[in-house]
């Protein structure tokens, strides 16, 4: 990696860490401005949600981001015939987040979750496909990069759908802070 690129990435991560730490500490303001990235509040909420007797030094993060799932498609939210006992158990033992507003399709939803920004800011407005020239820009700071900078190991399993990393390595999840990847670049099934 060239020195200029390394310095740029260090600066990006430094700014992101500052926002994350301020948000976790409850400050909510960085350099006199309100940060655009609010995942830090999510991190603080997760840290506070673990029972005190089981509280690890740092909270673990496990996120399930599903496509085409309605609010009432889980038995823990009242579906009368779909049984989801394992998800229901996680809901009982952990934290239920009920106010994430998804974009109209999978690519923008993934982009906004990972960056904390509106999808149009990263150019992720529609699903990507084979040989797509569009994907998550390396200039975007992701939740995985921020967590990795705090010493976490990160992994992504499943559908990425933020650029065809089979043909464009800069769209690979490993270029966006994930240590391990097992999945496919896109899918509409």
């Amino acid at each position: 990696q060239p020195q200029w690129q390394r310095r740029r990435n260090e600066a990006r991560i430094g700014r992101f860490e500052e926002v994350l730490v301020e948000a976790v500490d409850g400050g909510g303001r960085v350099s006199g401005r309100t940060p655009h990235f609010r995942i830090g509040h999510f991190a603080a909420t997760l840290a506070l949600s673990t029972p005190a007797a089981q509280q690890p030094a740092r909270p673990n993060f496990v996120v399930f981001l599903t496509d085409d799932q309605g609010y009432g498609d889980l038995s823990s939210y009242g579906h009368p015939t779909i049984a989801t006992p394992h998800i229901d158990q996680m809901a009982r033992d952990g934290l239920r987040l009920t106010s994430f507003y998804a974009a109209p399709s999978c690519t923008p939803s993934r982009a906004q979750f990972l960056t904390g920004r509106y999808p149009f800011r990263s150019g992720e407005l529609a699903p990507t496909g084979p040989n797509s020239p569009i994907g998550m820009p390396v200039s975007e700071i992701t939740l995985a990069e921020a967590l990795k900078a705090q010493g976490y190991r990160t992994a992504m399993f499943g559908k990425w759908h933020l650029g065809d990393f089979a043909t464009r390595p800069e769209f690979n999840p490993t270029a966006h802070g994930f240590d391990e990847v097992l999945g496919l670049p896109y899918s509409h099934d």
Side-chain angles (χ1 to χ4, degrees):
Q1 189 178 42
Q3 186 175 10
W4 67 268
Q5 196 174 27
R6 190 171 38 255
R7 269 192 256 126
R8 184 196 68 202
N9 289 341
E10 288 170 1
R12 284 176 42 231
I13 295 299
R15 284 193 309 271
F16 196 87
E17 284 178 20
E18 184 179 323
V19 171
L20 184 62
V21 168
E22 287 291 322
V24 169
D25 289 343
R29 295 188 69 75
V30 177
S31 305
R33 63 180 172 79
T34 303
H36 67 269
F37 200 93
R38 294 292 183 194
I39 296 295
H41 292 292
F42 172 69
T45 305
L46 281 180
L48 296 174
S49 69
T50 306
Q54 300 172 12
Q55 181 102 3
R58 296 181 309 186
N60 290 319
F61 293 80
V62 178
V63 176
F64 293 91
L65 186 59
T66 60
D67 290 341
D68 305 321
Q69 178 182 328
Y71 183 83
D73 291 346
L74 302 171
S75 56
S76 58
Y77 288 99
H79 197 282
T81 59
I82 298 176
T84 54
H86 299 292
I87 294 173
D88 298 349
Q89 182 68 41
M90 287 190 298
R92 280 191 300 275
D93 294 345
L95 178 68
R96 289 167 55 151
L97 302 175
T98 59
S99 295
F100 177 74
Y101 297 102
S105 65
C106 50
T107 297
S109 289
R110 284 170 164 70
Q112 73 185 28
F113 176 77
L114 285 176
T115 65
R117 295 164 45 105
Y118 291 114
F120 71 85
R121 293 185 179 264
S122 63
E124 299 295 323
L125 302 175
T128 58
N131 300 310
S132 176
I134 298 170
M136 179 68 78
V138 177
S139 60
E140 287 293 336
I141 302 166
T142 67
L143 177 60
E145 289 174 297
L147 290 172
K148 193 171 178 176
Q150 295 295 319
Y152 281 89
R153 290 180 27 205
T154 58
M156 193 287 301
F157 303 106
K159 180 174 77 168
W160 173 243
H161 223 163
L162 291 169
D164 183 3
F165 63 82
T167 59
R168 302 278 302 266
E170 69 271 23
F171 298 150
N172 195 303
T174 58
H176 297 281
F178 289 98
D179 297 315
E180 294 182 49
V181 176
L182 178 62
L184 41 140
Y186 48 84
S187 170
H188 287 289
D189 53 2

